[in-house]
Amino acid sequence: MNNKYHPANWNVGTKISAFSFALVGIIIAALILTITVTTASLLEERATRNLENELHGVANTVEVFNRTVSSEAVSFGRIFGGNFSGAFESDPSAPVVIGGKPVPSLKHNGKVLNLDFSA
C-alpha cells in the first residue's frame, strides 16, 4: 500500500517546510511559556508588594488610633481625677468582675469606684 501522505514519500521541499513549521511552532510555544511564567511571577511579586503596603497602611492607622485613644484616656482620667480630692489606689487583692473578667478595684478614700457611676 503506497501512502502519498507518509513523510518518507515527501519531496525535499515538503520535508524542509514541515520541519521549519514544526521548529517555528516549538519556538513560539517556548516563547509563550517563558512569557507566561515571567508575567505570572511579576504579577505575584507586585501583588505581594501591594499587600505589604496595604498592611503597613492598616498598621499605621491602628497605631495612630491607639495613640489618640490612649492620649484621650489619659486626659479623661485627669479630668475625672480632678473631681476628687485625695489619692487613688489600686487593689488587686479585691478584684471586681467587669465584662466577665476580674479587674483590680480602684479605690478612693477606701470606697470602691468600679461600677459606681454616681460620680
Side-chain angles (χ1 to χ4, degrees):
M1 178 175 215
N2 190 2
N3 188 352
K4 66 179 181 176
Y5 297 112
H6 192 272
N9 296 331
W10 294 350
N11 62 28
V12 174
T14 305
K15 288 180 182 179
I16 290 174
S17 295
F19 177 74
S20 297
F21 180 76
L23 186 62
V24 168
I26 291 171
I27 290 171
I28 290 174
L31 286 173
I32 290 173
L33 180 65
T34 302
I35 290 170
T36 301
V37 169
T38 304
T39 303
S41 68
L42 288 174
L43 288 174
E44 186 175 344
E45 289 174 18
R46 184 182 296 173
T48 301
R49 277 194 310 261
N50 287 342
L51 184 60
E52 287 174 355
N53 288 338
E54 289 292 326
L55 286 176
H56 287 300
V58 169
N60 289 339
T61 302
V62 169
E63 182 180 340
V64 168
F65 180 76
N66 183 45
R67 272 190 263 136
T68 303
V69 170
S70 296
S71 175
E72 288 179 359
V74 169
S75 296
F76 290 139
R78 286 186 183 137
I79 292 170
F80 180 73
N83 293 330
F84 295 91
S85 61
F88 290 95
E89 64 179 276
S90 176
D91 186 6
S93 64
V96 176
V97 177
I98 299 176
K101 297 187 181 206
V103 178
S105 60
L106 177 65
K107 293 183 179 181
H108 179 259
N109 294 333
K111 180 182 176 189
V112 176
L113 298 178
N114 297 64
L115 301 176
D116 180 5
F117 299 105
S118 62

